[in-house]
Amino acid sequence: MPAVRREADRARQQLFTALTDDRAACRDSLSELAEAANWPLPPAVRAIAPAAPGDAHQLAAVLDDALTGTFAGRPCLLLPSPDPDTRAPLDLPLRGRFAAVGHAVPLPDTASSLRWALRLLALTPARGGPDARPVFVDDHLSTLLLLQDEPLAHALAARWLRPLADLTPRQSERLEVTLLAWLEGGGAPEAAKALSVHPQTVRYRMRQLEKLFGPGLRDPRTRFELEMALRSRRLMAQVRRQHSRLGRRTARVVTADFTPVVVGRIARVNGL
């Protein structure tokens, strides 16, 4: 390898390290490294965290403007992102690869894009094969926010959903999905449509919930906290189920998606 190429590769590695270090490097220092690395500093970047470590080098070969390096022990890439809403340039390179793509951030926040990409990768069951596709942090911001600290999310759910603790799992499940649908939809007809049940069923369950939670259900702050608690509990349960299924399918490729929680179908049965 020519000495000039070795120097450029060393400068690119140093630039990656400087950009992903929480201790902000001065602009002059970054500019010098960027010039040595022949990598003009963009106004914003987004991270790419491949699930397969070997994919990082393969992606770097087809993404000429990508900067590669190691973050938290994993090979990752940084890609200039002049337009944070444009994904088209990534469609072909990432086709058939499972990876998490971070949100576009200004250079001082580069490490944040990498951290959230890796967090989303950890939450999403691994997928492979020709149908594999990337997941984007931009599509899961609320999920990542709610699950950024799982013990805290558990505490939130325990605090606000305590009135349901003495019910059977089946009763609690029905009331939880009903309450979440009611909070999201704003009324019994909307909740009934989301749950595929009769509006009277929703009204009956809401009367049960009002007995359990009292007048707090009409308080905006309480409703906000309850919705966060319910969403957190659903998301944590979904992640557990998906990883459990993954553990049982080690002999074949897992293709389950990580998608935002939606209210499931409930049997058309009145009452609890």
Side-chain angles (χ1 to χ4, degrees):
M1 181 185 293
V4 174
R5 176 66 182 277
R6 286 198 299 270
E7 287 299 322
D9 287 346
R10 187 179 298 112
R12 290 171 77 89
Q13 292 173 5
Q14 291 173 339
L15 180 58
F16 183 97
T17 300
L19 287 171
T20 57
D21 194 330
D22 284 324
R23 297 168 295 182
C26 70
R27 185 76 186 188
D28 289 343
S29 174
L30 289 177
S31 297
E32 291 176 5
L33 286 172
E35 184 177 357
N38 193 26
W39 198 78
L41 292 177
V45 295
R46 67 166 75 237
I48 301 177
D55 282 351
H57 295 293
Q58 295 176 20
L59 286 171
V62 295
L63 295 170
D64 295 333
D65 51 353
L67 193 67
T68 60
T70 302
F71 185 81
R74 296 186 66 101
C76 298
L77 301 93
L78 299 176
L79 199 64
S81 184
D83 184 353
D85 296 324
T86 299
R87 301 180 181 180
L90 297 175
D91 287 344
L92 186 59
L94 291 178
R95 185 174 300 167
R97 304 179 193 272
F98 178 46
V101 181
H103 54 311
V105 295
L107 291 181
D109 297 328
T110 299
S112 174
S113 185
L114 276 164
R115 275 194 292 267
W116 289 118
L118 290 172
R119 175 61 173 153
L120 181 58
L121 196 65
L123 288 172
T124 311
R127 298 172 298 189
D131 295 330
R133 60 184 185 275
V135 287
F136 287 80
V137 166
D138 285 329
D139 296 335
H140 301 284
L141 290 171
S142 60
T143 296
L144 290 166
L145 179 64
L146 288 171
L147 296 185
Q148 64 177 311
D149 188 319
E150 291 192 36
L152 192 61
H154 279 292
L156 176 73
R159 160 70 176 82
W160 287 98
L161 303 180
R162 190 175 298 136
L164 303 176
D166 292 333
L167 301 179
T168 67
R170 183 178 178 83
Q171 290 172 335
S172 179
E173 171 69 15
R174 284 186 174 178
L175 291 186
E176 283 186 32
V177 297
T178 301
L179 181 55
L180 183 57
W182 181 77
L183 290 167
E184 291 177 334
E190 294 81 3
K193 184 177 180 181
L195 297 172
S196 298
V197 299
H198 194 279
Q200 193 59 32
T201 300
V202 174
R203 294 188 181 97
Y204 178 88
R205 293 176 185 169
M206 287 308 302
R207 287 195 293 271
Q208 305 300 312
L209 287 161
E210 287 171 356
K211 290 179 182 178
L212 291 167
F213 286 92
L217 285 181
R218 304 297 174 181
D219 175 65
R221 178 179 178 273
T222 298
R223 290 166 61 144
F224 175 72
E225 297 277 1
L226 281 170
E227 185 169 354
M228 284 203 304
L230 289 164
R231 285 179 174 273
S232 297
R233 178 172 284 184
R234 294 296 179 197
L235 287 168
M236 288 186 289
Q238 185 182 32
V239 169
R240 286 196 302 270
R241 287 196 301 270
Q242 289 179 334
H243 283 283
S244 176
R245 285 198 297 268
L246 177 62
R248 295 195 299 268
R249 297 178 184 180
T250 53
R252 57 195 174 103
V253 174
V254 176
T255 57
D257 290 336
F258 182 83
T259 53
V261 170
V262 294
V263 177
R265 296 179 63 86
I266 304 297
R268 296 172 180 272
V269 179
N270 283 321
L272 298 175

